[in-house]
């Protein structure tokens, strides 16, 4: 069971890193601030989810 949780955790981390890479790359290439806003919103939701899961 522990091994399965580790795989899920690493998949989640790699997915978030991949989305971050895509949004930052898109922002750098196009200088579109909407891409940067999407990235900030993504990380705000991740922090909120992490904090709410710790309270339970």
């Amino acid at each position: 069971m522990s091994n399965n949780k580790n795989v899920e955790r690493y998949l989640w981390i790699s997915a978030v890193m991949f989305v971050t890479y895509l949004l930052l790359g898109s922002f750098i290439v196009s200088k579109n601030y909407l891409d940067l806003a999407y990235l900030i919103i993504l990380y705000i939701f991740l922090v909120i989810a992490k904090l709410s899961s710790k309270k339970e």
Side-chain angles (χ1 to χ4, degrees):
M1 193 66 151
S2 158
N3 191 18
N4 199 11
K5 269 197 167 210
N6 286 340
V7 170
E8 289 176 11
R9 182 174 179 217
Y10 290 129
L11 280 174
W12 178 249
I13 290 171
S14 63
V16 170
M17 288 178 59
F18 181 68
V19 170
T20 301
Y21 172 76
L22 289 178
L23 286 173
L24 276 177
S26 177
F27 172 70
I28 290 170
V29 170
S30 68
K31 301 290 190 237
N32 187 0
Y33 288 106
L34 193 58
D35 294 328
L36 190 60
Y38 288 148
L39 185 64
I40 291 169
I41 291 169
L42 171 73
Y43 276 103
I44 287 172
F45 280 129
L46 288 176
V47 167
I48 290 171
K50 188 70 167 177
L51 291 176
S52 68
S53 69
K54 282 192 174 190
K55 287 182 181 178
E56 294 176 357

